[in-house]
Amino acid sequence: MAFGGNPVFRGKNYRGAIATAAPAQAAPQGHSPYAQGPYGQNPYGQARYPQQPLTPEQLDKLYRAPSAGPAETGRMTYDDVIVRTLACLGFVVVGAAVTLAVPGSAALGLMVLGAIGGFVLALVNSFKREPAAGLILAYAGLEGLFLGGITRIIDAVAPGVGLQAVIGTIVVAAVTLALYKSGKVRATPRLAKFLLIALVSYLAFSLVNLVIMLVDPGLGAWGLRSSVHIFGIPLGVFVGLFAVVLAAISLIFDFNSIEQGVRAGAPRRFAWTAAFGLTVTLVWLYTELLRLLAILNSND
């Protein structure tokens, strides 16, 4: 089973929930899975109080009743993941709207609060044994504060990039999901190995670029990304496109992990973990698209 590069799905908590979950066994049509014990009899003996016999109509209704599905047995479903992911994204939008609406000085403070608080809650939610809806929604709201602040700053220099980044995020996510559902792309061990190596390499470049920016602030807001050119194109364009591809591949593994969780019959509460993992990847994808568009606009 490949979990890819998202630390939320690679964490032992989500993997453990899938590994220990007993696949939901659908009862045969017309039979209740709780009607009898393993040997065809009540394992606790005779009932203490006699029960009223069922009428033929009641027996016929029980026989024709559909077997219990994942929702009735407390298992995670795709609908659970979709609803919770939309809730997380809604909190992201609300947080961003707050930062965009307040005065500039307050927006900067909220952006810093969102960056620090979101990072802390991301770690807490990643390593927490059981998912907590409140903490996950709080993470989404704080990330919204950060994204709204950074979008406001960049949009003041390059108007329109915020909306372009939103549209780009939706398009990339939709295309990735369509390709995954069609079976044209799959989460294979070889792809997982490539993603891991690529993510480590990208992280190393980002750290080196950050150090260079601190040592030589004259390089500009993006450091090597904007100061180094290849064939007249800023290095940040190539790096940004590479990062967008990595985020799309990470989405493939996110979808795969959710599919594995649903098939294995993971407890419904872990739909919050799945929604959190998707939100983390989508926030990363939006950030990379926003930076890529900002570099492209600054090079015009």
Side-chain angles (χ1 to χ4, degrees), residues 200-257:
V200 172
S201 302
Y202 177 72
L203 179 61
F205 168 80
S206 299
L207 291 175
V208 170
N209 188 50
L210 177 61
V211 172
I212 293 176
M213 289 172 60
L214 295 175
V215 173
D216 185 6
L219 287 178
W222 308 111
L224 296 177
R225 295 174 185 262
S226 56
S227 61
V228 176
H229 290 71
I230 301 177
F231 302 113
I233 303 174
L235 176 63
V237 173
F238 298 101
V239 175
L241 290 174
F242 179 67
V244 169
V245 172
L246 291 184
I249 296 176
S250 184
L251 276 176
I252 293 173
F253 283 95
D254 291 352
F255 297 147
N256 178 73
S257 299

Side-chain angles (χ1 to χ4, degrees), residues 129-224:
R129 179 179 294 273
E130 294 289 334
L135 292 178
I136 292 173
L137 292 175
Y139 159 81
L142 288 170
E143 284 294 342
L145 294 178
F146 167 71
L147 293 181
I150 193 67
T151 301
R152 182 171 181 168
I153 293 174
I154 296 177
D155 203 66
V157 180
V161 294
L163 179 60
Q164 295 172 19
V166 171
I167 296 174
T169 301
I170 295 174
V171 170
V172 172
V175 170
T176 304
L177 177 60
L179 290 175
Y180 179 80
K181 291 295 291 182
S182 67
K184 295 184 182 300
V185 293
R186 281 298 172 195
T188 62
R190 180 175 297 180
L191 186 60
K193 184 180 297 185
F194 165 78
L195 179 60
L196 179 60
I197 296 173
L199 284 174
V200 172
S201 302
Y202 177 72
L203 179 61
F205 168 80
S206 299
L207 291 175
V208 170
N209 188 50
L210 177 61
V211 172
I212 293 176
M213 289 172 60
L214 295 175
V215 173
D216 185 6
L219 287 178
W222 308 111
L224 296 177

